[in-house]
């Protein structure tokens, strides 16, 4: 029982860390010598020493991606907090519905953010050669993990 | 007045400078701010964005130490972008607005201010790219005539860009608000439902106690009555059936008690 609890908490914290890293680190799209993410565009000079970073554009779609990523982090943190609350207040045999719902919401938010970014990113950066950076991949990885975590919470029953 | 204050900070050398200097600084600052008793302060926006062909409001407000007099005057001046001269485009004096009728803003300015509310705003209609520039609002409220004017820069765009953060804040606030609302609604409904369940349970248990007292004498009826009670407990969710049977049960118990 304790092992199960520990496993669930580790999964939740892993999802949270993935969401944080994906939101903050500057590696959604990388090309040769430049990288962009949700908040800024950074480019290294040809010599490789100097980095210039400037703010990303004020596009509405980029703002919505930022907003949904932030929302997913908020929902995941709330879900963790509610999990601990429900752990101590739920009756025996009860299910962690609220925790699961918030975690599922976080997963949906990440998915919509990544989807919007994939479709609309030509609007705010105009480089032709690019590839997706690891933060972008982390966002897509966080989505099924968050869904899985949420579903586990909904199915789980409180014992002891 | 500033000259009169200059000798004030002079102190004897060797005096405890560190102890008194914050107090002195506060005193100096407050006197600098409060001493211009006969000055007027004008407030406008810093920047205003407008779309071509639409209209824009240039707000101007002021603070004056005197009451608003009848001789109050507002003047708006315009300096084109990159130009050096400022031309006067609007004047209000003695309760009468005077609008530009020959210049670039001919028939495009509308006075929407009200001196009583300390508002000297104008509206420019039908914007054009040539309206880019700096507008200065000048207010004179006799005898309060000394003061700084304030400037607002007009930018004319083809399409007004939304400020950064509007969409961000709206999405975050909207989704969080909806989720919180749904949660509150859910908890409210569940609380009401649980309360009603508890009330029904209480009434049923009270009735059962009364029935058991009665049927301890009459054992033959017990078989018939207890199934009715269990049926009521089963159907306690459907309110109409429960209330009907409850009233019937209560009526019976009252009749039996008599």
């Amino acid at each position: 029982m304790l092992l199960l609890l520990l496993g669930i908490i580790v999964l939740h914290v892993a999802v949270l860390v993935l969401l944080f890293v994906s939101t903050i680190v500057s590696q959604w799209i990388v090309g040769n010598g430049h990288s962009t993410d949700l908040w800024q565009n950074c480019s290294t000079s040809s010599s490789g020493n100097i980095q210039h970073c400037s703010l990303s554009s004020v596009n509405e779609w980029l703002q919505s991606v930022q907003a949904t990523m932030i929302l997913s982090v908020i929902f995941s943190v709330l879900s963790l907090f509610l999990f601990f609350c429900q752990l101590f207040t739920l009756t025996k045999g009860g299910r962690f519905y609220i925790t699961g719902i918030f975690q599922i919401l976080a997963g949906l938010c990440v998915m919509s953010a990544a989807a919007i970014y994939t479709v609309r990113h030509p609007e705010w950066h105009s480089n032709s050669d690019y590839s997706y950076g690891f933060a972008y991949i982390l966002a897509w990885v966080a989505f099924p993990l968050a869904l899985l975590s949420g579903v586990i919470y909904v199915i789980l029953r409180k014992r002891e | 007045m500033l000259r009169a204050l200059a000798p004030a900070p002079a102190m004897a050398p060797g005096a405890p400078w560190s102890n008194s200097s914050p107090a002195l600084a506060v005193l100096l600052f407050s006197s600098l701010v409060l001493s211009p008793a006969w000055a007027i302060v004008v407030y406008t926006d810093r920047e205003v964005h407008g779309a071509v062909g639409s209209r824009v409001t240039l707000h101007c407000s002021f603070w004056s130490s005197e009451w608003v007099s009848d001789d109050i005057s507002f003047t708006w001046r315009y300096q084109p972008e990159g130009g050096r001269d400022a031309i006067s485009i609007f004047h209000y004096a003695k309760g009468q607005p005077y609008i530009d009728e020959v210049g670039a803003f001919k028939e495009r300015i509308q006075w929407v201010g009200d001196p009583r509310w300390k508002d000297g705003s104008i509206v420019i209609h039908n914007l054009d790219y040539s309206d880019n520039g700096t507008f200065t609002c000048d207010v004179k409220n006799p005898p309060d005539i000394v003061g700084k004017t304030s400037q607002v820069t007009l930018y004319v765009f083809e399409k007004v860009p939304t400020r950064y953060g509007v969409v961000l804040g709206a999405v975050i606030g909207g989704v969080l608000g909806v989720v919180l609302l749904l949660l509150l609604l859910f908890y409210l409904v569940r609380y009401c439902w649980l309360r009603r369940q508890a009330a029904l349970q209480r009434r049923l248990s009270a009735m059962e106690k009364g029935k058991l007292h009665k049927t301890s004498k009459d054992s033959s009826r017990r078989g018939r009555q207890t199934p009715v009670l269990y049926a009521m407990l089963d159907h306690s969710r459907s309110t109409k059936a429960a209330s009907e049977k409850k009233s019937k049960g209560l009526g019976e118990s009252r009749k039996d008690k008599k």
Side-chain angles (χ1 to χ4, degrees), chain B residues 120-176:
Chain B
S121 312
I122 58 170
V123 170
I124 303 181
H125 295 273
N126 211 0
L127 283 172
D128 189 39
Y129 289 113
S130 60
D131 295 335
N132 271 307
T134 312
F135 291 80
T136 308
C137 178
D138 190 7
V139 183
K140 290 194 180 356
N141 182 28
D144 203 358
I145 55 160
V146 179
K148 267 182 66 160
T149 60
S150 181
Q151 295 186 329
V152 51
T153 314
L154 175 67
Y155 295 102
V156 182
F157 298 102
E158 195 180 295
K159 191 176 84 96
V160 182
T162 46
R163 281 207 335 251
Y164 176 68
V166 169
V167 175
L168 191 74
V171 171
I172 291 183
V175 173
L176 277 178

Side-chain angles (χ1 to χ4, degrees), chain B residues 186-238:
Chain B
F186 168 73
Y187 271 116
L188 204 71
V189 166
R190 203 172 80 149
Y191 173 70
C192 287
W193 193 74
L194 281 174
R195 220 169 55 161
R196 180 186 286 156
Q197 281 284 83
L200 272 171
Q201 287 283 59
R202 255 185 277 125
R203 274 197 216 150
L204 285 168
S205 63
M207 229 168 42
E208 205 175 296
K209 263 192 233 162
K211 285 258 182 240
L212 281 170
H213 276 292
K214 176 66 188 73
T215 54
S216 60
K217 300 180 205 168
D218 201 341
S219 59
S220 63
R221 277 202 210 160
R222 203 185 297 161
R224 247 191 291 145
Q225 278 174 354
T226 36
V228 174
L229 283 169
Y230 277 108
M232 286 167 76
L233 277 169
D234 277 279
H235 294 301
S236 63
R237 275 187 201 156
S238 57

Side-chain angles (χ1 to χ4, degrees), chain A residues 133-145:
Chain A
F134 78 91
Y136 175 80
I137 295 172
L138 284 184
W140 276 113
V141 167
F143 159 57
L145 283 182

Side-chain angles (χ1 to χ4, degrees), chain A residues 62-135:
Chain A
L62 186 61
Q63 284 186 45
S64 69
V65 172
Q66 290 168 348
T68 39
M69 284 304 290
I70 290 176
L71 271 175
S72 75
V73 169
I74 289 176
F75 281 139
S76 198
V77 167
L78 272 178
S79 167
L80 192 65
F81 174 68
L82 282 170
F83 173 64
F84 283 114
C85 277
Q86 285 199 301
L87 200 61
F88 297 120
T89 64
L90 210 57
T91 58
K92 182 174 159 157
R95 289 192 153 131
F96 296 87
Y97 283 126
I98 303 280
T99 308
I101 285 177
F102 270 89
Q103 188 75 334
I104 289 176
L105 270 176
L108 289 177
C109 281
V110 160
M111 182 206 70
S112 59
I116 295 175
Y117 192 89
T118 312
V119 171
R120 294 274 175 180
H121 72 81
E123 276 187 22
W124 53 77
H125 91 288
S126 44
N127 289 37
S128 48
D129 67 333
Y130 61 87
S131 62
Y132 290 108
F134 78 91

Side-chain angles (χ1 to χ4, degrees), chain B:
Chain B
M1 281 179 218
L2 287 171
R3 259 184 255 127
L5 282 167
M11 283 181 72
W17 188 248
S18 57
N19 276 352
S20 57
S21 84
L24 201 64
V26 166
L27 196 67
L28 195 65
F29 175 73
S30 60
S31 50
L32 276 170
V33 164
L34 297 176
S35 70
W38 306 108
I40 203 167
V41 185
V42 181
Y43 306 105
T44 60
D45 299 320
R46 275 266 173 94
E47 290 185 357
V48 170
H49 301 255
V52 179
S54 75
R55 58 185 236 269
V56 72
T57 308
L58 302 175
H59 294 279
C60 179
S61 167
F62 66 94
W63 181 87
S64 166
S65 54
E66 291 286 315
W67 291 109
V68 172
S69 74
D70 292 327
D71 293 333
I72 190 167
S73 74
F74 295 91
T75 309
W76 278 95
R77 290 196 188 84
Y78 168 66
Q79 182 176 14
E81 194 179 11
R84 271 194 325 188
D85 306 322
I87 59 169
S88 185
I89 59 168
F90 175 83
H91 188 69
Y92 175 96
K94 291 187 170 54
Q96 176 75 19
Y98 300 92
I99 298 180
D100 175 19
E101 277 164 30
V102 297
F105 291 91
K106 164 159 96 160
E107 284 167 21
R108 289 201 285 147
I109 298 184
Q110 181 192 359
W111 164 248
V112 294
D114 192 349
R116 284 168 298 162
W117 293 106
K118 298 196 172 181
D119 179 23
S121 312
I122 58 170
V123 170
I124 303 181
H125 295 273
N126 211 0
L127 283 172
D128 189 39
Y129 289 113
S130 60
D131 295 335
N132 271 307
T134 312
F135 291 80
T136 308
C137 178
D138 190 7
V139 183
K140 290 194 180 356
N141 182 28
D144 203 358
I145 55 160
V146 179
K148 267 182 66 160
T149 60
S150 181
Q151 295 186 329
V152 51
T153 314
L154 175 67
Y155 295 102
V156 182
F157 298 102
E158 195 180 295
K159 191 176 84 96
V160 182
T162 46
R163 281 207 335 251
Y164 176 68
V166 169
V167 175
L168 191 74
V171 171
I172 291 183
V175 173
L176 277 178
V178 164
V179 165
L180 271 166
L181 207 70
L182 284 173
L183 244 128
L184 267 169
L185 220 70
F186 168 73
Y187 271 116
L188 204 71
V189 166
R190 203 172 80 149
Y191 173 70
C192 287
W193 193 74
L194 281 174
R195 220 169 55 161
R196 180 186 286 156
Q197 281 284 83
L200 272 171
Q201 287 283 59
R202 255 185 277 125
R203 274 197 216 150
L204 285 168
S205 63
M207 229 168 42
E208 205 175 296
K209 263 192 233 162
K211 285 258 182 240
L212 281 170
H213 276 292
K214 176 66 188 73
T215 54
S216 60
K217 300 180 205 168
D218 201 341
S219 59
S220 63
R221 277 202 210 160
R222 203 185 297 161
R224 247 191 291 145
Q225 278 174 354
T226 36
V228 174
L229 283 169
Y230 277 108
M232 286 167 76
L233 277 169
D234 277 279
H235 294 301
S236 63
R237 275 187 201 156
S238 57
T239 58
K240 227 190 204 177
S243 60
E244 275 179 15
K245 283 182 187 162
K246 212 184 346 134
S247 58
K248 263 194 237 160
L250 282 169
E252 277 179 22
S253 71
R254 252 186 254 129
K255 265 193 274 173
D256 288 341
K257 275 185 187 160
K258 279 187 195 161

